[in-house]
mmCIF file of all heavy atoms in Angstrom:
data_model
loop_
_atom_site.group_PDB
_atom_site.id
_atom_site.type_symbol
_atom_site.label_atom_id
_atom_site.label_comp_id
_atom_site.label_asym_id
_atom_site.label_seq_id
_atom_site.Cartn_x
_atom_site.Cartn_y
_atom_site.Cartn_z
ATOM 1 N N PRO A 38 0.809 -1.218 0.000
ATOM 2 C CA PRO A 38 0.000 0.000 0.000
ATOM 3 C C PRO A 38 0.846 1.274 0.000
ATOM 4 O O PRO A 38 0.474 2.269 -0.625
ATOM 5 C CB PRO A 38 -0.840 -0.112 1.260
ATOM 6 C CG PRO A 38 -0.091 -1.047 2.140
ATOM 7 C CD PRO A 38 0.624 -1.994 1.214
ATOM 8 N N ARG A 39 1.992 1.271 0.663
ATOM 9 C CA ARG A 39 2.847 2.465 0.683
ATOM 10 C C ARG A 39 3.384 2.752 -0.715
ATOM 11 O O ARG A 39 3.378 3.899 -1.174
ATOM 12 C CB ARG A 39 4.003 2.286 1.663
ATOM 13 C CG ARG A 39 4.854 3.549 1.807
ATOM 14 C CD ARG A 39 6.066 3.329 2.710
ATOM 15 N NE ARG A 39 5.739 2.867 4.038
ATOM 16 C CZ ARG A 39 5.647 3.647 5.108
ATOM 17 N NH1 ARG A 39 5.861 4.943 4.998
ATOM 18 N NH2 ARG A 39 5.359 3.133 6.286
ATOM 19 N N GLU A 40 3.825 1.708 -1.403
ATOM 20 C CA GLU A 40 4.354 1.879 -2.760
ATOM 21 C C GLU A 40 3.276 2.369 -3.718
ATOM 22 O O GLU A 40 3.534 3.202 -4.582
ATOM 23 C CB GLU A 40 4.967 0.568 -3.273
ATOM 24 C CG GLU A 40 6.217 0.157 -2.538
ATOM 25 C CD GLU A 40 5.965 -0.583 -1.217
ATOM 26 O OE1 GLU A 40 4.783 -0.719 -0.795
ATOM 27 O OE2 GLU A 40 6.957 -1.009 -0.595
ATOM 28 N N ALA A 41 2.061 1.857 -3.554
ATOM 29 C CA ALA A 41 0.951 2.312 -4.404
ATOM 30 C C ALA A 41 0.660 3.787 -4.155
ATOM 31 O O ALA A 41 0.459 4.558 -5.095
ATOM 32 C CB ALA A 41 -0.293 1.465 -4.142
ATOM 33 N N ALA A 42 0.669 4.199 -2.888
ATOM 34 C CA ALA A 42 0.427 5.608 -2.557
ATOM 35 C C ALA A 42 1.524 6.495 -3.139
ATOM 36 O O ALA A 42 1.238 7.558 -3.706
ATOM 37 C CB ALA A 42 0.345 5.785 -1.043
ATOM 38 N N GLU A 43 2.764 6.068 -3.019
ATOM 39 C CA GLU A 43 3.882 6.851 -3.560
ATOM 40 C C GLU A 43 3.796 6.955 -5.081
ATOM 41 O O GLU A 43 4.042 8.027 -5.645
ATOM 42 C CB GLU A 43 5.219 6.230 -3.147
ATOM 43 C CG GLU A 43 5.531 6.361 -1.678
ATOM 44 C CD GLU A 43 5.844 7.786 -1.233
ATOM 45 O OE1 GLU A 43 6.119 8.659 -2.076
ATOM 46 O OE2 GLU A 43 5.802 8.020 -0.011
ATOM 47 N N ALA A 44 3.452 5.854 -5.749
ATOM 48 C CA ALA A 44 3.338 5.875 -7.218
ATOM 49 C C ALA A 44 2.231 6.827 -7.663
ATOM 50 O O ALA A 44 2.404 7.598 -8.616
ATOM 51 C CB ALA A 44 3.083 4.466 -7.749
ATOM 52 N N LEU A 45 1.099 6.788 -6.973
ATOM 53 C CA LEU A 45 -0.011 7.686 -7.317
ATOM 54 C C LEU A 45 0.388 9.135 -7.089
ATOM 55 O O LEU A 45 0.162 9.996 -7.943
ATOM 56 C CB LEU A 45 -1.252 7.335 -6.500
ATOM 57 C CG LEU A 45 -2.460 8.230 -6.725
ATOM 58 C CD1 LEU A 45 -2.943 8.167 -8.171
ATOM 59 C CD2 LEU A 45 -3.583 7.836 -5.761
ATOM 60 N N ALA A 46 0.994 9.411 -5.949
ATOM 61 C CA ALA A 46 1.405 10.790 -5.638
ATOM 62 C C ALA A 46 2.413 11.300 -6.667
ATOM 63 O O ALA A 46 2.315 12.451 -7.110
ATOM 64 C CB ALA A 46 1.998 10.858 -4.238
ATOM 65 N N THR A 47 3.361 10.464 -7.042
ATOM 66 C CA THR A 47 4.358 10.867 -8.043
ATOM 67 C C THR A 47 3.681 11.190 -9.374
ATOM 68 O O THR A 47 3.990 12.206 -9.999
ATOM 69 C CB THR A 47 5.406 9.758 -8.221
ATOM 70 O OG1 THR A 47 6.083 9.568 -6.969
ATOM 71 C CG2 THR A 47 6.414 10.111 -9.300
ATOM 72 N N ALA A 48 2.743 10.349 -9.790
ATOM 73 C CA ALA A 48 2.033 10.589 -11.055
ATOM 74 C C ALA A 48 1.239 11.887 -11.014
ATOM 75 O O ALA A 48 1.113 12.582 -12.025
ATOM 76 C CB ALA A 48 1.110 9.413 -11.368
ATOM 77 N N LEU A 49 0.728 12.227 -9.836
ATOM 78 C CA LEU A 49 -0.067 13.450 -9.691
ATOM 79 C C LEU A 49 0.785 14.681 -9.394
ATOM 80 O O LEU A 49 0.284 15.804 -9.395
ATOM 81 C CB LEU A 49 -1.090 13.271 -8.562
ATOM 82 C CG LEU A 49 -2.185 12.251 -8.826
ATOM 83 C CD1 LEU A 49 -2.940 11.943 -7.539
ATOM 84 C CD2 LEU A 49 -3.129 12.741 -9.911
ATOM 85 N N GLY A 50 2.070 14.471 -9.102
ATOM 86 C CA GLY A 50 2.953 15.595 -8.801
ATOM 87 C C GLY A 50 2.725 16.187 -7.424
ATOM 88 O O GLY A 50 2.935 17.381 -7.216
ATOM 89 N N VAL A 51 2.287 15.353 -6.475
ATOM 90 C CA VAL A 51 2.055 15.811 -5.110
ATOM 91 C C VAL A 51 2.788 14.873 -4.152
ATOM 92 O O VAL A 51 3.370 13.882 -4.557
ATOM 93 C CB VAL A 51 0.548 15.859 -4.773
ATOM 94 C CG1 VAL A 51 -0.177 16.850 -5.680
ATOM 95 C CG2 VAL A 51 -0.095 14.479 -4.864
ATOM 96 N N GLU A 52 2.711 15.190 -2.876
ATOM 97 C CA GLU A 52 3.355 14.359 -1.866
ATOM 98 C C GLU A 52 2.315 13.568 -1.081
ATOM 99 O O GLU A 52 1.163 13.974 -0.971
ATOM 100 C CB GLU A 52 4.159 15.230 -0.900
ATOM 101 C CG GLU A 52 5.347 15.900 -1.562
ATOM 102 C CD GLU A 52 6.203 16.657 -0.573
ATOM 103 O OE1 GLU A 52 6.038 16.470 0.651
ATOM 104 O OE2 GLU A 52 7.050 17.420 -1.031
ATOM 105 N N VAL A 53 2.766 12.461 -0.527
ATOM 106 C CA VAL A 53 1.943 11.678 0.381
ATOM 107 C C VAL A 53 2.047 12.314 1.763
ATOM 108 O O VAL A 53 3.136 12.631 2.224
ATOM 109 C CB VAL A 53 2.428 10.212 0.450
ATOM 110 C CG1 VAL A 53 1.634 9.425 1.483
ATOM 111 C CG2 VAL A 53 2.339 9.550 -0.915
ATOM 112 N N ARG A 54 0.900 12.546 2.411
ATOM 113 C CA ARG A 54 0.886 13.100 3.767
ATOM 114 C C ARG A 54 0.550 11.994 4.749
ATOM 115 O O ARG A 54 -0.488 11.333 4.614
ATOM 116 C CB ARG A 54 -0.177 14.189 3.894
ATOM 117 C CG ARG A 54 0.130 15.468 3.167
ATOM 118 C CD ARG A 54 -0.906 16.567 3.452
ATOM 119 N NE ARG A 54 -2.292 16.156 3.193
ATOM 120 C CZ ARG A 54 -3.195 15.893 4.131
ATOM 121 N NH1 ARG A 54 -2.917 15.975 5.394
ATOM 122 N NH2 ARG A 54 -4.428 15.546 3.789
ATOM 123 N N PRO A 55 1.405 11.781 5.747
ATOM 124 C CA PRO A 55 1.068 10.776 6.758
ATOM 125 C C PRO A 55 0.057 11.328 7.751
ATOM 126 O O PRO A 55 0.048 12.515 8.060
ATOM 127 C CB PRO A 55 2.407 10.496 7.443
ATOM 128 C CG PRO A 55 3.197 11.754 7.241
ATOM 129 C CD PRO A 55 2.736 12.338 5.933
ATOM 130 N N GLY A 56 -0.798 10.460 8.223
ATOM 131 C CA GLY A 56 -1.756 10.831 9.254
ATOM 132 C C GLY A 56 -1.208 10.447 10.625
ATOM 133 O O GLY A 56 0.005 10.308 10.803
ATOM 134 N N ILE A 57 -2.080 10.248 11.564
ATOM 135 C CA ILE A 57 -1.703 9.867 12.923
ATOM 136 C C ILE A 57 -1.823 8.351 13.045
ATOM 137 O O ILE A 57 -2.887 7.778 12.765
ATOM 138 C CB ILE A 57 -2.598 10.568 13.955
ATOM 139 C CG1 ILE A 57 -2.410 12.085 13.855
ATOM 140 C CG2 ILE A 57 -2.296 10.079 15.364
ATOM 141 C CD1 ILE A 57 -3.383 12.884 14.682
ATOM 142 N N ALA A 58 -0.734 7.721 13.452
ATOM 143 C CA ALA A 58 -0.730 6.265 13.596
ATOM 144 C C ALA A 58 -1.709 5.832 14.683
ATOM 145 O O ALA A 58 -1.961 6.563 15.643
ATOM 146 C CB ALA A 58 0.675 5.777 13.920
ATOM 147 N N PHE A 59 -2.271 4.651 14.509
ATOM 148 C CA PHE A 59 -3.200 4.113 15.492
ATOM 149 C C PHE A 59 -2.954 2.609 15.642
ATOM 150 O O PHE A 59 -2.409 1.964 14.755
ATOM 151 C CB PHE A 59 -4.650 4.388 15.084
ATOM 152 C CG PHE A 59 -5.052 3.734 13.787
ATOM 153 C CD1 PHE A 59 -5.660 2.495 13.778
ATOM 154 C CD2 PHE A 59 -4.809 4.378 12.578
ATOM 155 C CE1 PHE A 59 -6.033 1.896 12.575
ATOM 156 C CE2 PHE A 59 -5.175 3.791 11.374
ATOM 157 C CZ PHE A 59 -5.788 2.540 11.376
ATOM 158 N N GLU A 60 -3.363 2.109 16.776
ATOM 159 C CA GLU A 60 -3.201 0.676 17.055
ATOM 160 C C GLU A 60 -4.553 -0.006 16.926
ATOM 161 O O GLU A 60 -5.579 0.498 17.397
ATOM 162 C CB GLU A 60 -2.649 0.477 18.464
ATOM 163 C CG GLU A 60 -2.295 -0.961 18.759
ATOM 164 C CD GLU A 60 -1.672 -1.134 20.131
ATOM 165 O OE1 GLU A 60 -1.671 -0.171 20.922
ATOM 166 O OE2 GLU A 60 -1.217 -2.241 20.415
ATOM 167 N N HIS A 61 -4.559 -1.134 16.236
ATOM 168 C CA HIS A 61 -5.783 -1.909 16.049
ATOM 169 C C HIS A 61 -5.429 -3.382 16.180
ATOM 170 O O HIS A 61 -4.594 -3.884 15.428
ATOM 171 C CB HIS A 61 -6.406 -1.612 14.684
ATOM 172 C CG HIS A 61 -7.647 -2.402 14.408
ATOM 173 N ND1 HIS A 61 -8.825 -2.171 15.064
ATOM 174 C CD2 HIS A 61 -7.878 -3.421 13.562
ATOM 175 C CE1 HIS A 61 -9.741 -3.007 14.615
ATOM 176 N NE2 HIS A 61 -9.183 -3.779 13.712
ATOM 177 N N GLU A 62 -6.050 -4.040 17.141
ATOM 178 C CA GLU A 62 -5.827 -5.474 17.378
ATOM 179 C C GLU A 62 -4.348 -5.808 17.514
ATOM 180 O O GLU A 62 -3.848 -6.771 16.944
ATOM 181 C CB GLU A 62 -6.491 -6.311 16.289
ATOM 182 C CG GLU A 62 -8.001 -6.160 16.266
ATOM 183 C CD GLU A 62 -8.684 -6.990 15.203
ATOM 184 O OE1 GLU A 62 -8.000 -7.682 14.411
ATOM 185 O OE2 GLU A 62 -9.919 -6.953 15.151
ATOM 186 N N GLY A 63 -3.629 -4.959 18.254
ATOM 187 C CA GLY A 63 -2.225 -5.210 18.543
ATOM 188 C C GLY A 63 -1.252 -4.821 17.446
ATOM 189 O O GLY A 63 -0.049 -5.018 17.589
ATOM 190 N N GLU A 64 -1.738 -4.275 16.344
ATOM 191 C CA GLU A 64 -0.868 -3.856 15.242
ATOM 192 C C GLU A 64 -1.011 -2.355 15.036
ATOM 193 O O GLU A 64 -2.096 -1.794 15.154
ATOM 194 C CB GLU A 64 -1.235 -4.577 13.944
ATOM 195 C CG GLU A 64 -0.947 -6.049 13.960
ATOM 196 C CD GLU A 64 -1.224 -6.696 12.602
ATOM 197 O OE1 GLU A 64 -1.613 -5.978 11.655
ATOM 198 O OE2 GLU A 64 -1.060 -7.908 12.505
ATOM 199 N N TRP A 65 0.107 -1.717 14.704
ATOM 200 C CA TRP A 65 0.111 -0.282 14.422
ATOM 201 C C TRP A 65 -0.107 -0.048 12.940
ATOM 202 O O TRP A 65 0.433 -0.773 12.094
ATOM 203 C CB TRP A 65 1.437 0.343 14.854
ATOM 204 C CG TRP A 65 1.507 0.528 16.332
ATOM 205 C CD1 TRP A 65 2.063 -0.318 17.239
ATOM 206 C CD2 TRP A 65 0.984 1.629 17.065
ATOM 207 N NE1 TRP A 65 1.918 0.189 18.506
ATOM 208 C CE2 TRP A 65 1.260 1.388 18.431
ATOM 209 C CE3 TRP A 65 0.306 2.795 16.711
ATOM 210 C CZ2 TRP A 65 0.896 2.271 19.435
ATOM 211 C CZ3 TRP A 65 -0.063 3.673 17.709
ATOM 212 C CH2 TRP A 65 0.226 3.410 19.051
ATOM 213 N N HIS A 66 -0.899 0.975 12.640
ATOM 214 C CA HIS A 66 -1.201 1.348 11.251
ATOM 215 C C HIS A 66 -0.987 2.846 11.089
ATOM 216 O O HIS A 66 -1.304 3.628 11.989
ATOM 217 C CB HIS A 66 -2.645 0.994 10.901
ATOM 218 C CG HIS A 66 -2.938 -0.457 11.022
ATOM 219 N ND1 HIS A 66 -2.770 -1.333 9.985
ATOM 220 C CD2 HIS A 66 -3.357 -1.199 12.086
ATOM 221 C CE1 HIS A 66 -3.097 -2.546 10.390
ATOM 222 N NE2 HIS A 66 -3.444 -2.493 11.658
ATOM 223 N N LEU A 67 -0.472 3.223 9.944
ATOM 224 C CA LEU A 67 -0.258 4.628 9.625
ATOM 225 C C LEU A 67 -1.102 4.980 8.406
ATOM 226 O O LEU A 67 -0.892 4.415 7.327
ATOM 227 C CB LEU A 67 1.218 4.898 9.322
ATOM 228 C CG LEU A 67 1.583 6.334 8.947
ATOM 229 C CD1 LEU A 67 1.367 7.264 10.139
ATOM 230 C CD2 LEU A 67 3.026 6.402 8.467
#
């Protein structure tokens, strides 16, 4: 998913903005 987001952002000429990480069922997600 990170690579897909970066590829889309590059094609659009913008940057990927990270949000606030959260924990769900013992795993962290950004």
Side-chain angles (χ1 to χ4, degrees):
R39 185 184 303 262
E40 292 83 355
E43 290 290 344
L45 178 62
T47 298
L49 293 168
V51 298
E52 293 185 13
V53 176
R54 289 186 306 107
I57 298 172
F59 62 94
E60 187 177 9
H61 178 71
E62 297 180 358
E64 292 185 1
W65 283 95
H66 300 271
L67 179 66

